[in-house]
Amino acid sequence: MTHVAFAPAAAPVSIPAIPVRELLPWVIFAGLILLLAIYFVGAEEGATSIVKGMYVHEFVHDGRHLLGFPCH
Ligand SMILES: [Zn+2]
């Protein structure tokens, strides 16, 4: 026979604080990725285009309208 006991005796887990010095490079990296995403969604068209053709524009077209960037 097995003995099953309910024992919620687990101590609460404390999450250690992350120092800003370790967090800052990731924040900068995420900011650059975000700026790149905003560029591709908002400005990758016409004179500001760096990718030839309309592939990027068409790929992010719904996001462009969703975020309110002028389009057509
Ligand atoms: Zn459009």
Side-chain angles (χ1 to χ4, degrees):
M1 181 174 186
T2 58
H3 180 73
V4 179
F6 180 68
V13 178
S14 64
I15 301 171
I18 301 173
V20 173
R21 188 177 297 264
E22 291 181 22
L23 202 59
L24 191 61
W26 292 102
V27 170
I28 292 171
F29 178 69
L32 288 174
I33 295 295
L34 184 67
L35 285 175
L36 192 66
I38 289 173
Y39 166 76
F40 276 117
V41 172
E44 173 59 32
E45 178 186 39
T48 59
S49 179
I50 55 174
V51 178
K52 195 173 182 179
M54 294 291 287
Y55 298 110
V56 175
H57 177 82
E58 294 299 331
F59 185 74
V60 297
H61 193 239
D62 290 342
R64 185 179 184 91
H65 282 272
L66 180 70
L67 296 174
F69 286 100
C71 189
H72 51 82

